[in-house]
Amino acid sequence: MKKASGRGCYAVVDEAGASVYSATELAAKELPSLDVTHRGAVSIARRLMDPMSELVKVGPQSLGVGLYQHDVDQKRLEEELTGVTQCCVTAVGCDANRASPELLRYVAGLTPKLAEAVIAQRQDSGGFKTREELRQVRGLGPKTFTQCAGFLRIYSGKEPLDATSIHP
């Protein structure tokens, strides 16, 4: 953020793909009371707060990832960008109490079905207070827990290490 002549702050946020996202079924589900224009504005604002969580909702073809992106094999481009996203999620981790199913699917060990189960458990329990509570997620067995636990963070929980990549 930069100060603007001492009167406030401003930030520049890339809006690539926001209009595409705003017209999707996912955007309509997330923001049913808003029209397409306002959904795009919310998406851009969310990018400022948590870019990774918002950008995973937009297909790579809509992000303008390069001048020649349409000249390359689209399946390979999708695979490479998925790999990069997985590496980012692995490096940064994600908040188990806030992450969307679209972001959770990039966490090692979590399938789209398990991502939905994590969200269902989170909603039923009022949020995770410890990483150990993730073991209560239906369908998440001991091996999957071991695989994904280090990438799921529990901020402001009972156990300080749950906000880090350190796990049992």
Side-chain angles (χ1 to χ4, degrees):
M1 290 250 193
K2 293 186 176 186
K3 289 221 177 214
S5 306
R7 293 184 287 199
C9 296
Y10 69 93
V12 178
V13 180
D14 186 357
E15 63 177 295
S19 61
V20 173
Y21 160 77
S22 65
T24 64
E25 189 177 314
L26 174 61
K29 181 180 170 187
E30 289 183 332
L31 305 163
S33 64
L34 299 180
D35 68 20
V36 173
T37 305
H38 290 111
R39 288 182 201 144
V42 169
S43 177
I44 293 168
R46 286 177 179 171
R47 288 179 188 196
L48 179 62
M49 297 184 317
D50 189 356
M52 189 167 54
S53 291
E54 198 61 21
L55 289 171
V56 297
K57 299 175 186 176
V58 181
Q61 67 277 8
S62 302
L63 291 176
V65 294
L67 184 60
Y68 299 104
Q69 79 181 50
H70 300 291
D71 295 336
V72 299
D73 180 346
Q74 294 301 298
K75 184 176 184 218
R76 172 99 189 269
L77 177 63
E78 178 79 30
E79 289 170 356
E80 294 297 327
L81 291 171
T82 296
V84 168
T85 304
Q86 288 171 333
C87 287
C88 289
V89 172
T90 300
V92 176
C94 64
D95 185 344
N97 284 317
R98 293 186 53 217
S100 67
E102 292 75 32
L103 182 59
L104 288 172
R105 73 184 181 103
Y106 291 102
V107 173
L110 295 185
T111 62
K113 185 177 177 181
L114 275 175
E116 292 292 343
V118 168
I119 290 173
Q121 180 67 32
R122 176 174 78 197
Q123 290 171 341
D124 291 347
S125 67
F128 300 105
K129 292 161 192 66
T130 67
R131 194 176 276 150
E132 280 297 313
E133 292 177 5
L134 289 165
R135 292 183 186 274
Q136 298 168 2
V137 172
R138 176 180 238 146
L140 198 147
K143 288 183 181 180
T144 304
F145 174 79
T146 300
Q147 192 174 17
C148 72
F151 308 115
L152 295 171
R153 311 284 192 261
I154 311 293
Y155 298 105
S156 302
K158 295 177 182 178
E159 173 59 57
L161 291 178
D162 286 351
T164 72
S165 60
I166 299 169
H167 72 93

